[in-house]
Amino acid sequence: MSFSSETKQELCQVIVEKDCCKKAELAAFIHGIGSLRIGRGGSSVYMTTEIPAVARRIFSLCKSCFAVTPEVRTQIRKQLGKKNIYHVVIKPENAQTILLETGLFKETEEGIRINRTVPLFLVRKSCCRHAYMRGAFLATGTLSDPGKSYHMEVNCPEEEYAKSLCALVQKMELPAKVAPRREGFVVYLKDSEAIVEVLGRIGAHKALLEMENVRITKNVKNNANRAANCDTANLEKTMNASTRQVEAIAYIQAKVGLSALPGHLGEMARIRLENPETPLKELGEMVSPPLSKSAVNHRLKKLEEIAQRLQKGGRL
Ligand SMILES: [Zn+2]
């Protein structure tokens, strides 16, 4: 099962206690996957999903919120790879009340109109905003596998609704954005911390932990890689320096002999020649009296300068 599906399964288990939140979540379902179908007895509300747990959740929200028992119709799809479709249907006798109370319909002076934005009267409290977000994500959301990328989005058929949903997420101080898609628009989050925050608020605690685990593993890996790269770079630098020093000393030896050097430099030259790969600090400990790393470095630099002078035909 994909990370997205797992998260949805978890969210379908979230227990909602307050009526205000139940109504907000149901409203998000109606706005996200609801459609009106006109029949002989009037208009019915259809909420359509491929996820059985989502259908069950909508069913129980209708019951506990409005004491209405919707009908659930299953559309079997036999084509390979196609999932069955579940319709939760609110009959005409209850449709108008529920549509008004969940803010899809609004009463105006000219009669009842369709409201194309998130109904603000349902999301005044933060508990209800979180419930609305949960419904919106369960209705048309997707979440990419954190091992691959960080991306959470909710599909919206209309730009006006997408913008109002985006504003709702931004109200929670999360960096949501709207983008056009081939079919409609999406409200999305790309920031891993923001996604973790949303998962926590809508009640997907298992998904949150899983995502945090991936984030930590990724960080550790990145840091380890960085450290490894850093070690290699340092090693190369050291190796380059010591090769240069050994070459310089060998040149001096061939040209004038190490005994021509002042005593302290001659000693350093011999020690370096015998220990071409030894770090400076350890070289310092081989000299008596011992030298600091920077003193060793200083003497080796001197030897390189002498070699350069000799190469240019100069004297010691
Ligand atoms: Zn609430």
Side-chain angles (χ1 to χ4, degrees), residues 28-286:
F29 279 118
I30 294 180
H31 284 254
I33 51 174
S35 59
L36 282 178
R37 295 196 190 174
I38 300 162
R40 259 175 296 165
S43 301
S44 308
V45 181
Y46 275 63
M47 281 169 276
T48 305
T49 176
E50 289 181 347
I51 309 169
V54 167
R56 278 196 295 275
R57 190 163 176 93
I58 297 171
F59 178 89
S60 59
L61 282 172
C62 288
K63 273 193 95 161
S64 68
C65 229
F66 295 105
V68 162
T69 308
E71 192 185 318
V72 180
R73 292 184 196 158
T74 309
Q75 193 180 327
I76 312 272
R77 291 201 288 186
K78 291 211 175 108
Q79 300 103 304
L80 205 67
K82 293 270 185 194
K83 290 179 182 156
N84 293 341
I85 298 175
Y86 304 89
H87 303 282
V88 184
V89 185
I90 300 170
K91 302 264 181 60
E93 57 265 35
N94 301 311
Q96 185 159 325
T97 321
I98 292 183
L99 289 172
L100 279 168
E101 292 225 17
T102 53
L104 193 89
F105 276 0
K106 57 180 173 190
E107 278 176 315
T108 67
E109 280 170 10
E110 296 92 51
I112 288 174
R113 291 278 177 275
I114 289 182
N115 168 36
R116 301 193 185 280
T117 57
V118 173
L120 293 177
F121 73 95
L122 288 178
V123 290
R124 287 212 184 94
K125 292 188 279 181
S126 68
C127 59
C128 302
R129 284 197 281 276
H130 301 160
Y132 196 92
M133 290 273 299
R134 180 170 53 245
F137 176 75
L138 278 173
T140 61
T142 48
L143 178 58
S144 54
D145 186 330
K148 291 179 188 135
S149 65
Y150 301 122
H151 190 94
M152 185 182 212
E153 67 176 37
V154 172
N155 256 297
C156 308
E158 289 174 347
E159 189 173 18
E160 203 182 346
Y161 181 68
K163 280 183 175 166
S164 71
L165 185 62
C166 184
L168 182 76
V169 185
Q170 285 171 348
K171 207 170 171 185
M172 301 176 191
E173 287 172 4
L174 297 168
K177 285 186 183 142
V178 174
R181 280 285 187 277
R182 207 155 42 125
E183 282 169 32
F185 294 81
V186 290
V187 178
Y188 69 93
L189 284 170
K190 273 198 128 8
D191 179 69
S192 62
E193 262 171 56
I195 296 172
V196 164
E197 182 74 33
V198 169
L199 291 176
R201 294 199 198 181
I202 63 179
H205 300 291
K206 236 174 72 193
L208 181 155
L209 285 179
E210 224 177 296
M211 189 155 163
E212 283 291 35
N213 270 339
V214 174
R215 285 212 309 163
I216 290 163
T217 319
K218 268 191 187 171
N219 267 341
V220 170
K221 261 193 208 155
N222 282 345
N223 289 342
N225 281 341
R226 222 170 288 142
N229 287 340
C230 193
D231 280 354
T232 319
N234 277 337
L235 195 65
E236 273 173 18
K237 226 161 101 190
T238 316
M239 290 307 291
N240 287 341
S242 76
T243 311
R244 227 172 44 228
Q245 292 153 5
V246 170
E247 279 172 6
I249 296 165
Y251 186 80
I252 299 170
Q253 193 176 32
K255 198 87 178 175
V256 295
L258 294 186
S259 52
L261 292 165
H264 65 288
L265 287 182
E267 186 191 16
M268 190 79 257
R270 264 183 288 272
I271 292 175
R272 181 38 117 194
L273 268 189
E274 284 158 23
N275 307 281
E277 281 164 27
T278 308
L280 298 189
K281 190 167 171 282
E282 283 170 45
L283 284 183
E285 286 158 9
M286 295 174 186

